[in-house]
Short mmCIF file of all heavy atoms in Angstrom, two decimals:
data_model
loop_
_atom_site.label_atom_id
_atom_site.label_comp_id
_atom_site.label_asym_id
_atom_site.label_seq_id
_atom_site.Cartn_x
_atom_site.Cartn_y
_atom_site.Cartn_z
N ARG S 192 117.11 163.43 114.86
CA ARG S 192 116.09 164.39 114.57
C ARG S 192 115.32 164.77 115.85
O ARG S 192 115.10 165.94 116.11
CB ARG S 192 115.13 163.86 113.53
CG ARG S 192 114.01 164.86 113.09
CD ARG S 192 113.19 164.28 111.98
NE ARG S 192 112.10 165.21 111.61
CZ ARG S 192 110.90 165.24 112.21
NH1 ARG S 192 110.68 164.37 113.17
NH2 ARG S 192 109.97 166.10 111.85
N GLN S 193 114.97 163.75 116.64
CA GLN S 193 114.27 164.01 117.92
C GLN S 193 115.17 164.82 118.87
O GLN S 193 114.74 165.67 119.56
CB GLN S 193 113.84 162.69 118.48
CG GLN S 193 112.58 162.13 117.90
CD GLN S 193 112.18 160.83 118.61
OE1 GLN S 193 112.59 159.71 118.15
NE2 GLN S 193 111.45 160.92 119.72
N VAL S 194 116.45 164.40 118.89
CA VAL S 194 117.42 165.05 119.82
C VAL S 194 117.57 166.54 119.42
O VAL S 194 117.57 167.42 120.26
CB VAL S 194 118.78 164.32 119.80
CG1 VAL S 194 119.79 165.12 120.65
CG2 VAL S 194 118.64 162.94 120.39
N ALA S 195 117.64 166.77 118.09
CA ALA S 195 117.85 168.14 117.63
C ALA S 195 116.58 168.98 117.97
O ALA S 195 116.66 170.14 118.43
CB ALA S 195 118.07 168.18 116.14
N LEU S 196 115.40 168.37 117.75
CA LEU S 196 114.15 169.11 118.06
C LEU S 196 114.00 169.34 119.60
O LEU S 196 113.58 170.45 120.00
CB LEU S 196 112.93 168.29 117.61
CG LEU S 196 112.67 168.25 116.05
CD1 LEU S 196 111.55 167.31 115.76
CD2 LEU S 196 112.34 169.65 115.60
N GLY S 197 114.47 168.39 120.32
CA GLY S 197 114.47 168.58 121.80
C GLY S 197 115.42 169.66 122.28
O GLY S 197 115.07 170.47 123.16
N ALA S 198 116.61 169.79 121.58
CA ALA S 198 117.55 170.84 121.96
C ALA S 198 116.96 172.22 121.55
O ALA S 198 117.12 173.21 122.32
CB ALA S 198 118.89 170.61 121.22
N VAL S 199 116.30 172.30 120.38
CA VAL S 199 115.70 173.56 119.98
C VAL S 199 114.58 173.96 120.95
O VAL S 199 114.42 175.17 121.34
CB VAL S 199 115.15 173.45 118.54
CG1 VAL S 199 114.29 174.66 118.19
CG2 VAL S 199 116.29 173.32 117.55
N ALA S 200 113.81 172.96 121.37
CA ALA S 200 112.74 173.25 122.31
C ALA S 200 113.32 173.79 123.67
O ALA S 200 112.80 174.71 124.24
CB ALA S 200 111.92 171.99 122.54
N LEU S 201 114.43 173.15 124.09
CA LEU S 201 115.06 173.58 125.35
C LEU S 201 115.58 175.04 125.19
O LEU S 201 115.51 175.81 126.14
CB LEU S 201 116.20 172.67 125.74
CG LEU S 201 115.81 171.35 126.41
CD1 LEU S 201 117.04 170.54 126.65
CD2 LEU S 201 115.12 171.67 127.77
N LEU S 202 116.12 175.32 124.03
CA LEU S 202 116.58 176.68 123.78
C LEU S 202 115.44 177.70 123.84
O LEU S 202 115.53 178.80 124.47
CB LEU S 202 117.22 176.74 122.41
CG LEU S 202 117.79 178.14 121.98
CD1 LEU S 202 118.88 178.59 122.96
CD2 LEU S 202 118.33 178.08 120.57
N VAL S 203 114.35 177.36 123.31
CA VAL S 203 113.14 178.24 123.33
C VAL S 203 112.68 178.39 124.79
O VAL S 203 112.37 179.52 125.23
CB VAL S 203 111.99 177.67 122.48
CG1 VAL S 203 110.67 178.44 122.70
CG2 VAL S 203 112.35 177.70 121.02
N VAL S 204 112.65 177.32 125.55
CA VAL S 204 112.22 177.37 126.97
C VAL S 204 113.16 178.30 127.78
O VAL S 204 112.69 179.19 128.50
CB VAL S 204 112.30 175.93 127.58
CG1 VAL S 204 112.20 176.03 129.12
CG2 VAL S 204 111.16 175.09 127.05
N ASN S 205 114.48 178.18 127.53
CA ASN S 205 115.38 179.04 128.33
C ASN S 205 115.35 180.49 127.85
O ASN S 205 115.53 181.39 128.69
CB ASN S 205 116.78 178.47 128.19
CG ASN S 205 116.99 177.25 129.06
OD1 ASN S 205 117.20 177.41 130.26
ND2 ASN S 205 116.92 176.06 128.53
N LEU S 206 115.15 180.72 126.54
CA LEU S 206 114.93 182.10 126.09
C LEU S 206 113.70 182.75 126.73
O LEU S 206 113.80 183.93 127.21
CB LEU S 206 114.83 182.13 124.54
CG LEU S 206 116.12 181.85 123.77
CD1 LEU S 206 115.79 181.75 122.34
CD2 LEU S 206 117.16 183.00 124.03
N LEU S 207 112.62 182.01 126.80
CA LEU S 207 111.45 182.53 127.47
C LEU S 207 111.69 182.70 128.97
O LEU S 207 111.15 183.63 129.61
CB LEU S 207 110.23 181.59 127.24
CG LEU S 207 109.71 181.58 125.82
CD1 LEU S 207 108.67 180.47 125.65
CD2 LEU S 207 109.03 182.95 125.50
N GLY S 208 112.47 181.74 129.54
CA GLY S 208 112.74 181.85 130.94
C GLY S 208 113.61 183.11 131.30
O GLY S 208 113.50 183.62 132.44
N VAL S 209 114.34 183.58 130.39
CA VAL S 209 115.13 184.85 130.59
C VAL S 209 114.28 186.02 130.28
O VAL S 209 114.34 187.09 130.95
CB VAL S 209 116.37 184.81 129.67
CG1 VAL S 209 117.07 186.16 129.70
CG2 VAL S 209 117.36 183.74 130.11
N ALA S 210 113.39 185.90 129.31
CA ALA S 210 112.54 187.06 128.90
C ALA S 210 111.47 187.37 129.96
O ALA S 210 111.16 188.57 130.12
CB ALA S 210 111.95 186.78 127.56
N ILE S 211 110.87 186.36 130.54
CA ILE S 211 109.75 186.65 131.46
C ILE S 211 110.23 187.53 132.67
O ILE S 211 109.53 188.52 133.01
CB ILE S 211 109.22 185.31 131.99
CG1 ILE S 211 108.45 184.69 130.82
CG2 ILE S 211 108.27 185.53 133.15
CD1 ILE S 211 107.91 183.29 131.12
N PRO S 212 111.35 187.27 133.39
CA PRO S 212 111.75 188.18 134.45
C PRO S 212 112.00 189.60 133.98
O PRO S 212 111.75 190.54 134.69
CB PRO S 212 113.01 187.56 135.03
CG PRO S 212 112.88 186.08 134.71
CD PRO S 212 112.22 186.07 133.39
N LEU S 213 112.56 189.74 132.78
CA LEU S 213 112.75 191.09 132.20
C LEU S 213 111.41 191.81 132.01
O LEU S 213 111.32 193.03 132.27
CB LEU S 213 113.57 191.06 130.94
CG LEU S 213 115.02 190.55 131.00
CD1 LEU S 213 115.66 190.45 129.68
CD2 LEU S 213 115.84 191.39 131.99
N GLN S 214 110.46 191.05 131.54
CA GLN S 214 109.13 191.60 131.37
C GLN S 214 108.49 192.03 132.70
O GLN S 214 107.87 193.07 132.84
CB GLN S 214 108.24 190.56 130.64
CG GLN S 214 106.90 191.16 130.13
CD GLN S 214 107.15 192.01 128.92
OE1 GLN S 214 108.18 191.91 128.19
NE2 GLN S 214 106.28 192.99 128.72
N VAL S 215 108.73 191.19 133.71
CA VAL S 215 108.24 191.47 135.06
C VAL S 215 108.93 192.76 135.57
O VAL S 215 108.30 193.62 136.21
CB VAL S 215 108.45 190.31 136.04
CG1 VAL S 215 108.15 190.67 137.43
CG2 VAL S 215 107.60 189.10 135.59
N ARG S 216 110.19 192.85 135.36
CA ARG S 216 110.96 194.03 135.77
C ARG S 216 110.29 195.30 135.17
O ARG S 216 110.11 196.30 135.91
CB ARG S 216 112.41 193.95 135.35
CG ARG S 216 113.18 195.19 135.79
CD ARG S 216 114.66 195.08 135.29
NE ARG S 216 114.78 195.14 133.81
CZ ARG S 216 115.91 195.27 133.20
NH1 ARG S 216 117.07 195.33 133.85
NH2 ARG S 216 115.90 195.33 131.89
N GLY S 217 110.04 195.24 133.92
CA GLY S 217 109.40 196.44 133.29
C GLY S 217 108.06 196.77 133.88
O GLY S 217 107.74 197.98 134.08
N VAL S 218 107.25 195.78 134.22
CA VAL S 218 105.94 196.02 134.80
C VAL S 218 106.09 196.66 136.18
O VAL S 218 105.44 197.66 136.54
CB VAL S 218 105.12 194.73 134.93
CG1 VAL S 218 103.81 194.91 135.71
CG2 VAL S 218 104.78 194.19 133.51
N VAL S 219 106.98 196.04 136.98
CA VAL S 219 107.17 196.57 138.37
C VAL S 219 107.67 198.03 138.35
O VAL S 219 107.25 198.91 139.06
CB VAL S 219 108.13 195.68 139.22
CG1 VAL S 219 108.46 196.33 140.56
CG2 VAL S 219 107.50 194.33 139.39
N ASN S 220 108.69 198.29 137.48
CA ASN S 220 109.22 199.61 137.42
C ASN S 220 108.13 200.60 136.88
O ASN S 220 108.09 201.75 137.33
CB ASN S 220 110.42 199.67 136.47
CG ASN S 220 111.67 198.99 137.11
OD1 ASN S 220 111.73 198.93 138.35
ND2 ASN S 220 112.59 198.58 136.31
N GLY S 221 107.26 200.10 136.03
CA GLY S 221 106.18 200.96 135.53
C GLY S 221 105.18 201.34 136.60
O GLY S 221 104.64 202.44 136.61
N LEU S 222 104.97 200.44 137.58
CA LEU S 222 104.08 200.75 138.70
C LEU S 222 104.56 201.88 139.54
O LEU S 222 103.79 202.60 140.14
CB LEU S 222 103.90 199.48 139.54
CG LEU S 222 103.14 198.29 138.89
CD1 LEU S 222 103.09 197.10 139.85
CD2 LEU S 222 101.72 198.67 138.54
N GLN S 223 105.90 202.02 139.66
CA GLN S 223 106.45 203.12 140.47
C GLN S 223 106.18 204.52 139.90
O GLN S 223 106.15 205.50 140.58
CB GLN S 223 107.97 202.90 140.66
CG GLN S 223 108.33 201.64 141.48
CD GLN S 223 109.82 201.46 141.50
OE1 GLN S 223 110.43 201.17 140.48
NE2 GLN S 223 110.38 201.57 142.64
N GLU S 224 106.12 204.58 138.60
CA GLU S 224 106.04 205.87 137.90
C GLU S 224 104.57 206.29 137.58
O GLU S 224 104.35 207.26 136.86
CB GLU S 224 106.83 205.83 136.62
CG GLU S 224 108.33 205.47 136.86
CD GLU S 224 109.01 205.06 135.58
OE1 GLU S 224 108.34 205.03 134.52
OE2 GLU S 224 110.21 204.79 135.66
N GLY S 225 103.66 205.51 138.09
CA GLY S 225 102.24 205.68 137.71
C GLY S 225 101.87 204.82 136.54
O GLY S 225 102.71 204.55 135.68
N PHE S 226 100.67 204.31 136.54
CA PHE S 226 100.34 203.30 135.57
C PHE S 226 98.87 203.31 135.24
O PHE S 226 98.07 203.89 136.01
CB PHE S 226 100.69 201.91 136.12
CG PHE S 226 99.94 201.55 137.36
CD1 PHE S 226 98.70 200.85 137.27
CD2 PHE S 226 100.36 201.94 138.60
CE1 PHE S 226 97.98 200.51 138.41
CE2 PHE S 226 99.63 201.62 139.72
CZ PHE S 226 98.46 200.89 139.64
N SER S 227 98.57 202.68 134.13
CA SER S 227 97.14 202.46 133.79
C SER S 227 96.79 201.00 133.92
O SER S 227 97.63 200.15 133.59
CB SER S 227 96.82 202.95 132.35
OG SER S 227 97.43 202.05 131.38
N LEU S 228 95.58 200.75 134.41
CA LEU S 228 95.22 199.29 134.73
C LEU S 228 95.23 198.55 133.38
O LEU S 228 95.65 197.36 133.34
CB LEU S 228 93.82 199.28 135.33
CG LEU S 228 93.30 197.89 135.67
CD1 LEU S 228 94.22 197.20 136.66
CD2 LEU S 228 91.87 198.01 136.24
N ALA S 229 94.81 199.17 132.28
CA ALA S 229 94.75 198.44 131.02
C ALA S 229 96.14 198.04 130.59
O ALA S 229 96.33 196.94 130.08
CB ALA S 229 94.09 199.36 129.94
N ALA S 230 97.12 198.91 130.75
CA ALA S 230 98.45 198.53 130.37
C ALA S 230 99.02 197.39 131.18
O ALA S 230 99.71 196.50 130.68
CB ALA S 230 99.41 199.79 130.51
N VAL S 231 98.70 197.47 132.51
CA VAL S 231 99.22 196.41 133.44
C VAL S 231 98.58 195.04 133.01
O VAL S 231 99.22 194.01 132.98
CB VAL S 231 98.92 196.75 134.90
CG1 VAL S 231 99.19 195.54 135.80
CG2 VAL S 231 99.71 197.95 135.33
N LEU S 232 97.25 195.11 132.70
CA LEU S 232 96.60 193.88 132.30
C LEU S 232 97.14 193.31 131.04
O LEU S 232 97.32 192.08 130.87
CB LEU S 232 95.10 194.14 132.17
CG LEU S 232 94.34 194.34 133.51
CD1 LEU S 232 92.85 194.69 133.21
CD2 LEU S 232 94.41 193.17 134.39
N ARG S 233 97.47 194.21 130.06
CA ARG S 233 98.10 193.72 128.86
C ARG S 233 99.44 193.04 129.10
O ARG S 233 99.76 192.04 128.56
CB ARG S 233 98.27 194.95 127.88
CG ARG S 233 96.98 195.32 127.16
CD ARG S 233 97.30 196.21 125.95
NE ARG S 233 97.98 197.43 126.33
CZ ARG S 233 97.41 198.55 126.68
NH1 ARG S 233 96.12 198.63 126.71
NH2 ARG S 233 98.25 199.62 126.99
N GLN S 234 100.25 193.72 130.01
CA GLN S 234 101.54 193.11 130.34
C GLN S 234 101.38 191.77 131.05
O GLN S 234 102.08 190.85 130.76
CB GLN S 234 102.32 194.08 131.23
CG GLN S 234 102.75 195.36 130.54
CD GLN S 234 103.77 195.17 129.48
OE1 GLN S 234 104.54 194.21 129.58
NE2 GLN S 234 103.78 196.00 128.44
N ALA S 235 100.39 191.71 131.92
CA ALA S 235 100.14 190.46 132.70
C ALA S 235 99.72 189.36 131.73
O ALA S 235 100.15 188.18 131.83
CB ALA S 235 99.05 190.71 133.78
N LEU S 236 98.83 189.76 130.77
CA LEU S 236 98.39 188.76 129.83
C LEU S 236 99.53 188.23 128.93
O LEU S 236 99.68 187.00 128.62
CB LEU S 236 97.32 189.32 128.89
CG LEU S 236 96.67 188.43 127.85
CD1 LEU S 236 96.03 187.23 128.47
CD2 LEU S 236 95.72 189.18 126.98
N LEU S 237 100.44 189.15 128.60
CA LEU S 237 101.63 188.73 127.80
C LEU S 237 102.53 187.76 128.62
O LEU S 237 103.01 186.77 128.10
CB LEU S 237 102.41 190.01 127.44
CG LEU S 237 103.74 189.73 126.65
CD1 LEU S 237 103.49 188.99 125.37
CD2 LEU S 237 104.49 191.03 126.43
#
C-alpha cells in the first residue's frame, strides 16, 4: 500500500514537472506578443 501510494505520488510529481515548463513557455511566448501585468501575475501564481 505504501509502495503504491509512493508510486502514485511520484507520477504526480513527474506530471507537474512536465507541466510547469510548458506553462513557463506559454508565459514567455505571451510576453513577446504584448501582455497585461495581471495575466502574468496570475500565470506566475499558478
